[in-house]
Amino acid sequence: MYSSRRLVTFRPRTSTLYTRAAFHASAPAYVHVGDSIPNLEVLHENSPGNKVNLATELGGNGLIIGVPAAFSPSCSNSHIPSYINHPKLSAAGQVFVVSVNDAFVYLNHVPIFFHTFTNLDNHSMKAWASALDPTNTSGIRFLADPTGEFTRALDLAFDGGAVFGGDRSKRYALVIEDGKVRQVHIEPDNTGVDVSTAEKVLKDW
């Protein structure tokens, strides 16, 4: 949906801003600076009956953070904790974590190290949120993209069949200002933890 839009160019605020020339490890994504958030009511918060449309939910400033899978080691041990523990997180506005996972509350009592890549879809974003931020002191909201429709609308899906059993989201962070994409930080190898960390994304805030 983004490939047909006219690219609106802004001067990047940070050196980690994704550009077409910056990386060559994966095909360029079609979410661009100046694009609107996809207007889709397909994301689930806590349960399938509680749908969220980020185009209306996030009309001001905030972050959309994409991860390949809930409960995966890199997501749980470094990527999302980098935001939860960052002293400048509150300045970012509303913060949402999106993953191609289901939203059911399921097996949330099982320690994280028992979860494997082959059964990630059996565990919920709510359970993951409870494991990472039990008292929700960060204010981060965790959203499931069960069909991957939101992720595909951003053109940020990749074939993760070999590890995750199906399509997954690239690891990314989108800085949103006034409901528009202001910065795009996408991991060039899809799943690494570098340009999309809080230390990189929030360093100039």
Side-chain angles (χ1 to χ4, degrees):
M1 65 179 283
Y2 284 92
S3 58
S4 63
R5 294 183 176 180
R6 180 175 62 87
L7 175 62
V8 180
T9 304
F10 291 91
R11 183 178 179 180
R13 284 197 310 197
T14 73
S15 60
T16 58
L17 182 66
Y18 178 89
T19 64
R20 287 183 178 274
F23 306 115
H24 303 284
S26 63
Y30 290 103
V31 54
H32 299 300
V33 171
D35 280 333
S36 298
I37 301 170
N39 187 5
L40 297 169
E41 195 168 295
V42 295
L43 300 174
H44 299 171
E45 186 173 24
N46 300 332
S47 70
N50 188 18
K51 294 185 177 181
V52 175
N53 184 341
L54 283 182
T56 56
E57 193 78 13
L58 184 49
N61 299 342
L63 300 174
I64 302 173
I65 305 164
V67 297
F71 287 106
S72 65
S74 296
C75 300
S76 298
N77 297 335
S78 57
H79 190 211
I80 300 308
S82 77
Y83 286 91
I84 291 173
N85 300 318
H86 200 283
K88 297 181 180 178
L89 180 67
S90 60
Q94 294 178 279
V95 181
F96 298 88
V97 173
V98 177
S99 178
V100 182
N101 283 93
D102 66 73
F104 286 103
V105 181
Y106 189 81
L107 290 180
N108 60 340
H109 62 284
V110 180
I112 288 175
F113 56 80
F114 281 113
H115 297 271
T116 65
F117 289 121
T118 58
N119 66 4
L120 286 173
D121 278 335
N122 293 325
H123 306 290
S124 71
M125 291 295 284
K126 182 176 181 179
W128 189 42
S130 297
L132 291 177
D133 190 11
T135 60
N136 194 30
T137 55
S138 70
I140 295 174
R141 294 169 63 182
F142 290 74
L143 306 178
D145 185 12
T147 66
E149 187 174 352
F150 180 83
T151 299
R152 287 192 299 272
L154 295 171
D155 203 10
L156 291 176
F158 75 97
D159 182 2
V163 176
F164 301 108
D167 287 351
R168 294 288 170 168
S169 171
K170 296 173 183 283
R171 192 182 306 280
Y172 67 86
L174 304 180
V175 177
I176 307 298
E177 291 185 359
D178 298 324
K180 303 284 187 178
V181 177
R182 179 63 180 82
Q183 294 181 25
V184 182
H185 305 260
I186 303 171
E187 297 295 344
D189 64 353
N190 298 330
T191 61
V193 184
D194 182 16
V195 302
S196 65
T197 62
E199 289 77 15
K200 298 289 181 67
V201 175
L202 301 177
K203 71 175 186 177
D204 292 333
W205 291 57

